[in-house]
């Protein structure tokens, strides 16, 4: 193995990034949310970048993996999974561990993790989310060393641009107690959501719109979708209440919005409920909650619970595993879209690179990125007609803004611990101590 490709050092930098007061079934986004930047530096002096969740449970897994990786070549991305398992400080494999608590079954928000809204938290899911950032960083370093874009390392791009969807949120004008607000204003009714969509359309040219639901009673969210359909005739529309509804409520909403929605995303929680709904409606169901691991695929596909799976390279363990999921979806005739959580430019570059290699991706990808005002990359990507150009520069095609990284890390260091673990419910209860998640 060429010595230039051997990992010399791994740097982990937890950061806190500003986040607007976006509402969801779990509460409200915190004023700052944690992310982790992974840098893999080779003996050839090349730095590869990765980004993932930055909560403490992820840091606990990333630190021993970072210590174990030097000496391995950046080409050995398949070995990251065994290395991550071997270095996992928690004892059980695949089971919920002491550092990866499932949300309590008695809680109304059981089954939904605030950091990912991806079903019950397991040690395996946490590990894969950590591996994803290391895999991305290794591929970035390999690509930079070879002078090849990451998409070339994945077999090559099948498109030159990747389409993204506008991600609409009910939101407050400002975080409670904040000294300053951004200039988006509140969006708490159909008119507010349409105004937000118009601004996304004007700024970035997005063609499709997704509304994060599960915030208000379903009738109010149906009205918002109808208002969007009226304002943007023929545009793809999605609604995602993150499993907040019963089977009967989901079916009632599906009846109301049949022919209006491109897809209905996770109306109810769990494969069983989703299968029951799917059997009784023609509205396509999509998920990033009941199919988030390979173990969950067979039952969901056998039951016909979903027509579209939202891939997410953080969840699935990296860009290679995302392509494996795409192959499974192709095999079973299930559609593919892409999920997003609060993220920065490193993740967006990784999402774009892998999306460019997936012929079966026929839906615009989700991204929270336009809501982010801060970044750790030197150049913010620009959406044109809702699309990002696929970079052909070596690696991911992004460079680290070290002063920005240091500043956001300083914010993480200065935090008293309140914001280092994302908890949307806790953020909501700071505004309204009596708040409880609602289900309909
Ligand atoms: Mg979703």
């Amino acid at each position: 193995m060429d010595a230039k490709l051997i990992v010399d050092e791994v740097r982990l930098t937890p950061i806190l990034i500003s986040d607007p007061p976006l509402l969801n079934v779990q509460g409200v986004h915190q004023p700052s949310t944690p992310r982790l930047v992974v840098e893999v530096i080779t003996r050839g002096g090349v730095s590869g970048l990765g980004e993932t969740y930055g909560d403490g449970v992820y840091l606990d897994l990333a630190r021993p993996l970072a210590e174990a990786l030097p000496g391995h070549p950046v080409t050995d991305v398949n070995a990251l999974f065994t290395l991550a398992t071997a270095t996992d400080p928690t004892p059980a494999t695949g089971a919920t561990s002491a550092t990866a608590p499932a949300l309590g079954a008695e809680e109304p928000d059981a089954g939904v993790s605030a950091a990912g809204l991806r079903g019950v938290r397991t040690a395996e899911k946490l590990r894969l989310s950590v591996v994803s950032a290391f895999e991305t960083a290794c591929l970035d370093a390999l690509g930079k060393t070879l002078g090849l874009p990451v998409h070339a390392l994945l077999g090559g791009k099948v498109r030159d641009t990747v389409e993204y969807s506008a991600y609409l949120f009910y939101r407050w004008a400002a975080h409670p107690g904040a000294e300053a607000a951004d200039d988006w204003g509140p969006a708490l009714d159909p008119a507010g959501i349409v105004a937000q969509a118009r601004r996304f359309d004007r700024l970035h040219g997005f063609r499709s719109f997704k509304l994060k639901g599960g915030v208000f009673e379903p009738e109010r969210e149906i009205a918002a979708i109808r208002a969007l359909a009226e304002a943007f005739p023929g545009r793809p529309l999605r609604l995602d209440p993150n499993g907040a509804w019963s089977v009967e409520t989901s079916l009632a909403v599906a009846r109301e919005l049949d022919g209006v929605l491109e897809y209905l995303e996770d109306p109810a929680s769990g494969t069983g409920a989703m299968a029951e709904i799917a059997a009784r409606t023609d509205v396509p169901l999509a998920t990033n909650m009941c199919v988030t691991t390979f173990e969950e695929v067979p039952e969901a596909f056998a039951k016909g619970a979903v027509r579209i799976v939202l891939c997410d390279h953080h969840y699935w363990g990296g860009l290679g595993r995302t392509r494996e999921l795409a192959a499974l979806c192709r095999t079973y005739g299930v559609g593919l879209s892409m999920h997003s959580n609060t993220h920065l430019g490193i993740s967006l570059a990784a999402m774009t690179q892998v999306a460019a290699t997936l012929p079966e991706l026929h839906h615009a990808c989700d991204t929270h990125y336009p809501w982010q005002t801060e970044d750790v990359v030197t150049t913010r990507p620009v959406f044109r007609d809702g699309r990002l150009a696929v970079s052909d520069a070596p690696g991911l095609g992004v460079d680290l803004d070290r002063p920005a990284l240091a500043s956001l890390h300083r914010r993480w260091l200065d935090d008293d611990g309140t914001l280092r673990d994302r908890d949307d419910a806790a953020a909501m209860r700071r505004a309204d101590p009596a708040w409880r998640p609602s289900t309909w």
Side-chain angles (χ1 to χ4, degrees):
M1 180 61 64
D2 188 335
K4 289 201 300 290
L5 294 173
I6 304 295
V7 176
D8 188 45
E9 182 190 353
V10 179
R11 291 184 198 147
L12 304 178
T13 311
I15 57 176
L16 278 174
I17 60 168
S18 291
D19 213 12
L22 309 180
L23 302 171
N24 60 41
V25 69
Q26 280 293 102
V28 62
H29 286 209
Q30 299 177 164
S32 296
T33 204
R35 297 294 285 174
L36 173 64
V37 174
V38 176
E39 275 182 89
V40 168
I41 297 141
T42 67
R43 289 182 190 166
V46 168
S47 167
L49 302 174
E51 176 192 340
T52 190
Y53 301 97
D55 308 61
V57 287
Y58 299 98
L59 297 180
D60 289 345
L61 296 171
R63 287 181 178 124
L65 181 56
E67 281 175 25
L69 194 59
H72 294 261
V74 291
T75 49
D76 276 8
V77 288
N78 292 334
L80 286 170
F81 299 93
T82 43
L83 198 58
T85 304
T87 57
D88 186 341
T90 56
T93 300
T96 302
S97 70
T99 57
L103 294 167
E106 75 285 3
E107 294 289 317
D109 50 1
V112 180
S113 98
L117 294 162
R118 60 186 288 198
V120 176
R121 228 180 217 191
T122 67
E124 173 72 359
K125 288 184 187 178
L126 294 176
R127 214 163 29 238
L128 290 175
S129 293
V130 169
V131 167
S132 75
F134 283 74
E135 186 236 30
T136 305
C138 285
L139 292 176
D140 186 34
L142 178 59
K144 284 172 176 167
T145 303
L146 299 177
L148 294 171
V150 165
H151 68 71
L153 305 178
L154 301 174
K157 63 181 179 181
V158 295
R159 53 177 68 89
D160 293 321
T161 61
V162 170
E163 185 179 8
Y164 284 88
S165 171
Y167 209 149
L168 310 178
F169 280 85
Y170 291 108
R171 56 160 291 165
W172 298 327
H175 288 285
E179 290 173 9
D182 62 22
D183 59 1
W184 283 84
L188 298 165
D189 56 20
I193 291 297
V194 169
Q196 193 182 96
R198 288 198 191 286
R199 184 164 173 183
F200 270 120
D201 182 41
R202 195 167 61 246
L203 288 175
H204 309 294
F206 291 122
R207 300 294 301 166
S208 70
F209 298 98
K210 164 169 164 172
L211 175 61
K212 176 59 73 184
V215 176
F216 297 116
E217 59 275 19
E219 293 74 18
R220 202 158 151 185
E221 298 186 350
I222 290 169
I225 293 292
R226 287 196 184 288
L228 285 169
E230 196 174 326
F232 299 96
R235 302 279 196 95
L237 303 175
R238 310 162 181 178
L239 178 58
D240 175 16
N242 282 118
W245 302 336
S246 68
V247 168
E248 289 310 319
T249 299
S250 301
L251 287 167
V253 175
R255 277 192 296 276
E256 289 284 330
L257 295 178
D258 196 355
V260 179
L261 289 175
E262 175 190 20
Y263 55 70
L264 182 56
E265 187 175 322
D266 290 306
S269 275
T271 295
M274 290 286 282
E276 213 179 322
I277 299 161
R280 295 164 63 190
T281 180
D282 292 330
V283 176
L285 301 188
T287 189
N288 65 275
M289 291 176 65
C290 74
V291 181
T292 63
T293 64
F294 287 100
E295 290 73 18
E296 292 166 335
V297 167
E299 183 191 356
F301 285 13
K303 289 182 173 173
V306 293
R307 300 242 298 263
I308 298 127
V309 171
L310 276 69
C311 64
D312 179 324
H313 74 272
H314 307 92
Y315 283 18
W316 291 84
L319 308 183
R321 292 280 178 104
T322 300
R323 288 181 46 76
E324 291 176 14
L325 170 64
L328 263 182
C329 288
R330 182 174 67 235
T331 305
Y332 285 90
V334 171
L336 190 69
S337 188
M338 188 179 282
H339 170 259
S340 151
N341 211 315
T342 301
H343 66 89
L344 294 179
I346 299 171
S347 280
L348 184 61
M351 291 157 68
T352 304
Q353 288 287 312
V354 72
T357 71
L358 302 172
E360 44 284 282
L361 187 66
H362 295 305
H363 302 275
C365 302
D366 287 346
T367 178
H368 286 62
Y369 189 74
W371 288 112
Q372 264 45 71
T373 55
E374 299 172 325
D375 206 341
V376 295
V377 299
T378 52
T379 307
R380 279 186 80 92
V382 177
F383 295 90
R384 297 191 199 288
D385 297 327
R387 294 174 171 273
L388 286 183
V390 178
S391 169
D392 292 319
L396 292 171
V398 293
D399 294 311
L400 201 52
D401 180 339
R402 293 195 179 276
L405 182 72
S407 166
L408 299 179
H409 180 54
R410 171 53 55 191
R411 187 186 291 155
W412 184 88
L413 288 171
D414 289 344
D415 181 67
D416 62 5
T418 307
L419 303 177
R420 286 189 186 182
D421 294 296
R422 180 174 160 182
D423 188 337
D424 291 9
M428 180 63 97
R429 288 187 186 117
R430 283 193 285 277
D432 176 5
W435 181 86
R436 302 289 291 166
S438 298
T439 52
W440 290 272

